[in-house]
């Protein structure tokens, strides 16, 4: 005859945890380069979109008019202008063409803006010519 043993869990009481020593408050994070805030370089899509929007507003045209002329959807053009979408070269050429710009002119304006912003935010030892290399034209990388 086998004896029946109930399936009961054994409870082991846990010891109370020892009180932790008082932790010092963490020091606030310091910004790089002696308290200067870190500067985020502008994204290409932000620059191009901003130039498209400024040109459209300078011409006093609506988003709908430019989108119809470029044959792209109005919501997509809006997202490109706001820097939310990375547009293809075909879409950029169509949007620029609808505004009376060539793709080269649009990209040249974006490059000028990028250089202007980069030189404004460049710290000591950073900026055009800091690495010894000199670029007189546009440099696009995928």
């Amino acid at each position: 005859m086998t004896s029946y043993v109930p399936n009961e869990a054994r409870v082991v009481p846990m010891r109370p945890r020892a009180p932790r020593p008082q932790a010092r408050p963490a020091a606030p994070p310091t910004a790089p380069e002696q308290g200067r805030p870190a500067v985020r370089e502008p994204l290409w899509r932000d620059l191009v979109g901003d130039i498209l929007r400024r040109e459209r507003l300078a011409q006093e045209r609506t988003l709908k008019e430019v989108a119809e002329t470029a044959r792209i959807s109005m919501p997509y053009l809006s997202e490109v202008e706001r820097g939310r979408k990375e547009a293809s070269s075909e879409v950029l050429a169509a949007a620029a063409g609808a505004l009376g710009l060539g793709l080269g002119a649009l990209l040249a304006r974006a490059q000028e803006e990028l250089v202007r912003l980069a030189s404004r935010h460049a710290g000591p030892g950073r900026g055009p010519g800091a690495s010894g290399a000199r670029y007189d034209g546009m440099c696009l990388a995928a």
Side-chain angles (χ1 to χ4, degrees):
M1 207 174 176
T2 54
S3 66
Y4 173 75
V5 179
N7 190 7
E8 293 179 11
R10 190 175 119 192
V11 177
V12 178
M14 297 185 70
R15 291 178 287 173
R17 291 187 180 191
R20 295 179 119 183
Q22 292 294 330
R24 294 183 307 188
T30 58
E33 299 182 29
Q34 291 114 8
R36 286 187 5 200
V39 177
R40 180 177 79 83
E41 288 193 41
L43 297 176
W44 186 253
R45 67 176 183 247
D46 291 330
L47 295 171
V48 171
D50 189 47
I51 291 165
L52 287 172
R53 176 167 283 182
R54 282 185 298 190
E55 185 63 30
R56 179 178 60 80
L57 294 175
Q59 293 180 14
E60 297 180 354
R61 295 177 65 190
T62 65
L63 195 62
K64 183 178 180 182
E65 290 171 344
V66 175
E68 286 176 354
T69 304
R71 301 186 72 188
I72 56 180
S73 74
M74 190 174 64
Y76 188 75
L77 179 59
S78 173
E79 289 188 332
V80 168
E81 283 188 354
R82 290 181 290 137
R84 308 273 187 206
K85 294 289 182 186
E86 191 83 47
S88 68
S89 58
E90 291 87 358
V91 170
L92 292 178
L99 293 168
L101 297 172
L103 181 59
L106 173 66
L107 299 181
R109 287 187 188 184
Q111 189 260 347
E112 290 168 5
E113 185 77 8
L114 180 62
V115 168
R116 186 181 65 78
L117 291 173
S119 65
R120 180 190 311 167
H121 296 300
R126 296 177 62 196
S131 66
R134 184 171 172 214
Y135 298 97
D136 290 328
M138 288 189 343
C139 179
L140 299 176

